[in-house]
């Protein structure tokens, strides 16, 4: 048994909406797998099927060697799940929450303390505080502790860092890599592309399908076109001008910069520079750039739109 | 069993930590019994009545003082015309106006049939009826006193009549509080059984906590038992508290056995909790739950016979009451407390509630999905 999760041709519809469409996914044992995709891509539906909270319409699914549809009872013991929405008791304290979930799994905080230590030690000073009174980042840590307390083989995390500040997000990913050292398989979803590179394998998900899978470098290396980054203080004005250049396949703003994708490697930096300078005299600077996950994603979306 | 205990412990921890729950459990029995028992009364007391004495005779004054001495009336004497009477009733400054005509005393002495005029504000028909009866009785009591002074011809005023002397059983003093208090207790228990249970269950859905519970090995029966048992116990506790208040403050008689009372109450709570669960099955938010329960509860309460007699309702309403658990419980609790009935006297009600409870609970549990 080398794979923790194996999914073939998984389908799930809600009325007429196809939430999952012939989805395939394989997660190796001990892997740190990221599901990347925008809201509504079907990430949560997929995770709820894996955790046996939802029944699939068709397709085959194997989690930890078990079928979630039939063997959900045994599966509960092997799985740790952290839902996207904070789902612990707000009126119970940190310690009461943790101890409740430990006892339900017939274990105790002491027994598996070593496992949750990297996470729980950070919120332990507040163990007598009600969960509802914790900050977003601390809630996240408590939820992770509760999902881990029964020593699961597989940990499923649904957008654990959504709505958490940048510092806490970095902390959180740091903790996940520590947890991984215990041999726990991790499947995590996120809408943040920059977090994807922290996983050892990722799948890009869109519209109920997986559009691209592999290691983060494999995915970015599939990006064949030349890509440049344009830095300027007049982002909007230059965006408008650059979009008129026929040799550019796409021009999109990424934060304070523009990413320019060249159609079939037709032009170089100098030609783009002269094209923009014809129309305005704002200052800007163009440099070569290595495509990121987000560029791959947007490239896919635009290719779909153009069909 | 171990898991059930863990859940029960968690539930009680949450219930006693809830800011609203503690007052509901410990203060509501006091407020309901102390306030409602007095407020929900049909007894006439200190009703404003205006007497317009046009006769100014000894006898008319005597009649006036009769009313004045009565605890049921607050009397105002007025000199005025018919227009003013209308105005007084319209402005609600008085509930009823009694007009003593000219020659009242004279007619009485002469044995001529005389008439008093009584105008009552009858918006509240029940009270108006009571006022009419009380006024008539007050006047009759005057006539009785006057009898020896009247000459023979006056006897025609008081025709010979068959006098039925009523004897009131089970509530000999017609103490209204003893009748109302058991009814109030049924409201109390129903509120805990239906409202609190339902809200507690829906809260898990609304807060999303059910999602985390669902990935644990907790089974449906364990989760539901853990959710329902606390309110069953709290309901019985509040019944005991309410009875205690009733006995200490209102001298409430407990004619039947406490044991039968608690057997029936336990059974009724089981039914109420089943209904609470059933409603929570179909509601997603606490707000939806509140409105749904309020709708049903109001019907159950008004039709169940707490305030009005079920026997005087139309036939269709009496049939509707067959599916009103509150109807059975009100009947039972009054019978046990005031009449001293036992379980064997109320087998019909017992089995009706039992069947009701089993059906409600089964459907509710069957319909229950742990999904949010």
């Amino acid at each position: 048994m080398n794979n923790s999760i194996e999914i073939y041709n998984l389908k799930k519809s809600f009325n007429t909406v196809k939430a999952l469409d012939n989805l395939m996914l394989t997660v190796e044992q001990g892997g740190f797998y990221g599901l990347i995709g925008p809201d509504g891509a079907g990430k949560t539906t997929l995770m709820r099927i894996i955790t046996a909270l939802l029944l699939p319409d068709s397709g085959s699914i194997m989690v930890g060697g078990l079928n979630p549809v039939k063997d959900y009872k045994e599966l509960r013991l092997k799985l740790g799940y952290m839902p996207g929405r904070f789902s612990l008791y707000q009126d119970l304290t940190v310690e009461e929450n943790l101890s409740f979930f430990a006892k339900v799994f017939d274990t105790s905080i002491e027994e598996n303390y070593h496992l949750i230590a990297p996470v729980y030690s950070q919120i332990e000073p507040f163990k007598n505080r009600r969960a509802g009174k914790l900050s977003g980042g601390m809630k996240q840590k408590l939820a992770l502790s509760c999902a881990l307390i029964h020593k699961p083989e597989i940990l499923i995390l649904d957008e654990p860092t959504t709505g958490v500040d940048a510092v806490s997000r970095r902390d959180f990913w740091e903790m996940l890599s520590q947890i991984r050292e215990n041999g726990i398989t991790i499947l995590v979803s996120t809408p943040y592309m920059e977090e994807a590179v922290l996983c050892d394998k990722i799948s890009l998900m869109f519209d109920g399908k997986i559009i691209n899978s592999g290691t983060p470098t494999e995915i970015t290396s599939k990006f064949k076109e030349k890509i440049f980054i344009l830095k300027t203080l007049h982002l909007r004005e230059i965006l408008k001008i650059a979009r008129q250049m026929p040799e550019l396949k796409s021009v999109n703003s990424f934060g304070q910069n523009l990413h320019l994708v060249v159609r079939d490697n037709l032009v170089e930096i100098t030609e783009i520079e002269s094209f923009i300078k014809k129309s305005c005299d704002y200052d800007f600077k163009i440099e070569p750039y290595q495509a990121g996950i987000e560029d791959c994603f947007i490239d896919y979306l635009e290719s779909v739109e153009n069909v | 069993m171990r898991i059930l205990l863990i859940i029960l412990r968690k539930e009680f921890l949450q219930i006693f930590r809830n800011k609203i729950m503690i007052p509901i459990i410990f203060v509501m029995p006091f407020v309901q019994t102390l306030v409602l028992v007095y407020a929900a009364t049909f007894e006439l007391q200190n009703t404003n009545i205006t007497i317009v004495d046009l006769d100014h005779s000894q006898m008319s004054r005597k009649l006036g003082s009769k009313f004045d001495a009565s605890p049921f009336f607050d009397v105002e004497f007025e000199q005025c015309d018919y227009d003013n009477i209308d105005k007084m009733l319209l402005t609600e400054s008085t509930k009823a106006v009694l007009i003593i005509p000219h020659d009242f005393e004279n007619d009485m002495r002469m044995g001529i049939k005389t008439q008093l005029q009584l105008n009552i504000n009858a918006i509240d028909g029940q009270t108006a009826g009571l006022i009419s009866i009380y006024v008539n009785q007050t006047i009759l009591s005057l006539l009785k006193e006057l009898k020896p002074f009247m000459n023979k011809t006056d006897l025609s005023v008081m025709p010979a009549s068959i006098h039925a002397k009523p004897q009131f059983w089970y509530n000999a003093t017609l103490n209204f509080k003893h009748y109302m208090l058991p009814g109030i207790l049924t409201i109390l228990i129903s509120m805990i059984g239906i409202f609190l249970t339902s809200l507690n269950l829906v809260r898990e859905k609304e807060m999303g906590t059910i999602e985390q519970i669902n990935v644990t090995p907790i089974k449906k029966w364990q989760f539901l038992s853990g959710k329902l048992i606390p309110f069953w116990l709290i309901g019985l506790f509040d019944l005991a508290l309410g009875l205690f208040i009733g006995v200490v403050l209102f001298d409430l008689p407990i004619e039947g056995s406490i044991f039968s009372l608690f057997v029936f109450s336990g059974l009724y709570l089981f039914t109420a909790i089943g209904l609470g669960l059933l409603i929570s099955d179909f509601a997603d938010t606490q707000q939806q739950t509140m409105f749904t329960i309020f709708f049903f509860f109001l019907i159950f309460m008004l039709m169940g016979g707490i305030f009005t007699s079920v026997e005087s309702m139309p036939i269709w309403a009496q049939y509707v009451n067959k599916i009103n658990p509150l109807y059975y419980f009100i009947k039972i609790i009054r019978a046990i407390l005031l009449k001293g009935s036992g379980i064997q006297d109320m087998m019909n009600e017992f089995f009706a509630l039992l069947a009701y409870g089993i059906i409600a609970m089964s459907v509710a549990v069957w319909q229950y999905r742990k999904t949010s």
Side-chain angles (χ1 to χ4, degrees):
Chain A
M1 190 68 229
N2 287 326
N3 292 329
S4 279
I5 301 173
E6 280 181 38
I7 294 169
Y8 300 102
N9 299 325
L10 193 69
K11 281 187 189 175
K12 177 74 190 177
S13 299
F14 297 106
N15 297 323
T16 54
V17 182
K18 275 187 190 167
L20 296 179
D21 189 8
N22 265 331
L23 188 126
M24 315 276 241
L25 183 74
T26 309
V27 179
E28 283 167 28
Q29 198 166 12
F32 187 5
Y33 204 101
L35 273 179
I36 323 292
D39 291 345
K43 305 191 295 292
T44 300
T45 307
L46 176 59
M47 289 191 155
R48 296 192 72 213
I49 290 176
I50 292 173
T51 50
L53 291 171
L54 207 61
L55 291 175
D57 294 342
S58 65
S60 82
I61 175 165
M62 208 56 110
V63 180
L66 298 166
N67 181 345
V69 180
K70 282 191 230 130
D71 316 316
Y72 65 92
K73 278 179 190 158
E74 292 104 286
L75 188 62
R76 300 255 185 266
L77 302 172
K78 292 187 164 197
L79 225 54
Y81 175 50
M82 182 177 155
R85 187 175 158 206
F86 184 69
S87 301
L88 299 175
Y89 294 100
Q90 315 243 9
D91 47 359
L92 295 184
T93 65
V94 168
E95 198 179 22
E96 283 161 353
N97 266 302
L98 191 57
S99 146
F100 173 72
F101 285 101
K103 282 184 191 155
V104 160
F105 280 102
D106 206 5
T107 178
S108 65
I109 299 180
E110 294 73 37
E111 204 178 318
N112 286 324
Y113 189 85
H114 64 282
L115 202 63
I116 58 166
V119 193
Y120 186 57
S121 60
Q122 300 185 33
I123 48 171
E124 214 171 357
F126 312 101
K127 67 181 182 185
N128 292 322
R129 194 181 284 188
R130 306 259 169 105
K133 298 255 190 295
L134 294 176
S135 71
M138 291 202 313
K139 275 182 184 165
Q140 232 67 22
K141 284 167 194 163
L142 175 59
L144 183 58
S145 304
C146 288
L148 271 175
I149 193 65
H150 60 289
K151 206 177 177 191
E153 288 173 22
I154 305 165
L155 187 61
I156 313 276
L157 307 159
D158 190 4
E159 300 200 6
T161 52
T162 299
V164 176
D165 68 88
V167 177
S168 297
R169 267 163 63 187
R170 212 175 47 212
D171 275 3
F172 196 85
W173 281 88
E174 184 63 37
M175 285 183 291
L176 287 186
S177 48
Q178 284 181 27
I179 288 162
R180 210 201 145 182
E181 284 161 19
N182 293 298
I184 296 174
T185 308
I186 299 176
L187 176 66
V188 56
S189 73
T190 177
Y192 301 116
M193 311 279 169
E194 70 272 20
E195 288 180 343
V197 291
L198 301 166
C199 302
D200 51 35
K201 247 183 149 182
I202 57 171
S203 276
L204 301 187
M205 223 179 143
F206 185 74
D207 239 3
K209 284 189 282 280
I210 283 174
I211 55 175
N212 211 337
S213 286
T215 64
T217 40
E218 269 169 14
I219 287 181
T220 49
S221 65
K222 281 182 201 164
F223 197 88
K224 294 292 177 225
E225 279 98 354
K226 244 182 225 162
I227 185 162
F228 300 115
I229 185 164
L230 184 151
K231 294 177 182 172
T232 179
L233 292 172
H234 307 277
L235 205 67
R236 276 200 288 174
E237 293 82 353
I238 292 185
L239 177 78
K240 262 185 222 159
I241 298 163
R243 280 196 170 157
Q244 284 160 4
M245 190 173 179
E247 291 86 357
L248 291 181
K249 188 178 168 192
S250 77
V251 180
N252 286 298
S253 59
F254 283 65
Q256 294 304 301
N257 307 316
L258 293 180
H259 286 193
L260 316 173
V261 182
V262 181
R263 196 183 299 280
D264 306 324
N265 297 336
L266 282 172
V267 283
E268 281 299 329
I269 292 180
T270 47
E271 292 162 281
I272 303 171
E273 275 175 346
S274 57
F275 180 87
I276 295 171
K277 277 180 180 160
K278 267 195 295 185
S279 313
C280 69
D281 35 66
Y282 295 123
D283 280 337
F284 64 88
K285 205 169 110 189
I286 299 179
E287 286 167 6
Y289 186 70
Q290 175 62 49
I293 304 280
E294 200 161 358
D295 295 300
C296 302
F297 210 98
I298 286 176
D299 187 56
Y300 170 82
L301 294 190
E302 284 176 346
S303 69
V304 173
E305 274 165 26
N306 292 336
V307 170
Chain B
M1 219 32 214
R2 190 186 58 83
I3 287 188
L4 178 59
L5 288 176
I6 297 168
I7 302 172
L8 280 176
R9 196 177 155 268
K10 182 215 94 177
E11 286 303 322
F12 275 113
L13 203 60
Q14 286 183 296
I15 289 168
F16 288 114
R17 200 165 278 177
N18 191 320
K19 281 199 198 85
I20 297 167
M21 223 56 123
I22 292 297
I24 286 183
I25 295 168
F26 292 101
V27 180
M28 199 167 71
F30 284 95
V31 175
Q32 289 208 328
T33 44
L34 294 180
V35 177
L36 285 183
V37 168
Y38 281 112
T41 176
F42 295 139
E43 285 171 3
L44 212 53
Q45 237 163 15
N46 303 333
T47 307
N48 287 321
I49 184 168
T50 305
I51 295 178
V52 181
D53 186 358
L54 301 174
D55 195 35
H56 300 290
S57 65
Q58 206 187 340
M59 205 180 284
S60 70
R61 267 193 293 277
K62 194 155 187 174
L63 182 62
S65 63
K66 269 267 171 223
F67 277 94
D68 222 2
S70 158
F72 306 122
F73 298 110
D74 263 358
V75 186
E76 254 333 294
F77 292 95
E78 288 282 343
Q79 297 297 327
C80 58
D81 51 35
Y82 289 99
D83 287 343
N84 264 335
I85 292 167
D86 190 31
K87 201 185 273 172
M88 275 192 293
L89 284 169
L90 273 177
T91 55
E92 301 261 333
S93 65
T94 189
K95 276 275 178 205
V97 180
L98 180 71
I99 301 167
I100 305 172
H102 287 296
D103 307 325
F104 171 67
E105 183 176 340
N106 205 25
D107 288 352
M108 291 283 279
R109 291 198 185 282
M110 300 298 288
I112 299 167
K113 193 174 176 186
T114 181
Q115 280 182 322
L116 299 170
Q117 182 184 335
L118 178 64
N119 297 47
I120 310 173
N121 175 352
I123 284 181
D124 173 3
Q126 197 152 19
T127 310
L130 279 175
I131 291 175
S132 158
I133 293 168
Y134 280 47
V135 166
N136 273 318
Q137 275 174 357
T138 313
I139 296 168
L140 269 174
S141 73
L142 175 78
L143 289 178
K144 272 184 201 156
E145 279 173 34
L146 292 175
K147 227 163 135 186
F149 303 108
M150 283 188 261
N151 56 40
K152 273 184 187 163
T153 47
D154 291 334
L155 284 177
S156 59
V157 179
M158 295 277 293
S161 59
I162 299 164
H163 193 70
K165 191 173 184 303
Q167 208 176 4
F168 299 106
W169 282 20
Y170 310 128
N171 190 355
T173 53
L174 289 183
N175 188 327
F176 194 75
K177 291 174 195 87
H178 291 174
Y179 176 73
M180 267 333 278
L181 201 96
I184 299 298
L185 288 179
T186 63
I187 299 181
L188 183 74
I189 293 183
S190 309
M191 284 184 73
I192 290 164
I194 306 178
F195 275 91
L196 295 192
T197 310
S198 210
L199 287 178
N200 184 282
L201 274 157
V202 173
R203 206 158 68 104
E204 293 259 356
K205 276 201 248 182
E206 201 173 27
M207 300 297 287
T209 45
I210 191 74
E211 191 88 342
Q212 198 76 62
I213 291 289
N214 282 346
V215 291
T216 65
I218 296 174
K219 293 183 186 73
K220 183 166 152 180
W221 73 266
Q222 292 166 332
F223 181 72
L224 285 181
S225 311
K227 282 270 164 206
L228 303 183
I229 291 172
F231 294 102
W232 191 78
L233 293 173
I234 290 169
L236 291 181
F237 168 80
D238 265 6
L239 173 70
L241 186 59
L243 280 177
F244 176 76
I245 297 169
V247 169
V248 171
L249 294 178
F250 298 101
D251 231 357
L252 181 75
I254 301 182
E255 299 291 341
S257 82
I258 295 267
F259 174 75
S260 331
L261 182 64
F262 274 81
V263 167
F264 271 116
S265 304
L267 184 61
Y268 172 70
L269 262 170
F270 176 74
T271 313
I273 286 171
L275 288 175
L277 174 62
L278 190 62
I279 288 169
S280 78
D281 287 346
F282 297 102
D284 294 321
T285 63
Q286 297 186 68
Q287 197 185 37
Q288 286 175 359
T289 317
M290 279 304 271
F291 282 114
T292 315
I293 297 180
F294 200 75
F295 171 75
F296 286 110
F297 191 63
L298 206 63
I299 295 176
F300 283 168
M301 199 169 74
L302 292 179
M303 292 193 70
I306 296 180
F307 304 109
T308 47
S309 157
V310 173
E311 284 72 27
S312 38
M313 290 177 192
I315 298 295
W316 64 261
Q318 297 189 30
Y319 276 112
V320 171
N321 262 328
K322 298 275 182 245
I323 56 158
N324 181 355
L326 208 55
Y327 159 75
Y328 296 106
F329 190 47
I330 289 165
K331 219 167 145 182
I332 289 164
I333 197 170
R334 279 186 179 144
I336 292 177
L337 287 177
L338 305 179
K339 258 163 76 176
S341 306
I343 295 176
Q344 66 283 358
D345 302 317
M346 287 176 294
M347 275 319 204
N348 281 345
E349 284 77 11
F350 182 83
F351 285 114
L353 267 189
L354 187 68
Y356 203 122
I358 289 172
I359 291 171
M361 193 59 91
S362 314
V363 174
V365 170
W366 170 66
Q367 269 294 315
Y368 180 79
R369 298 282 178 276
K370 282 205 288 174
T371 49
S372 50

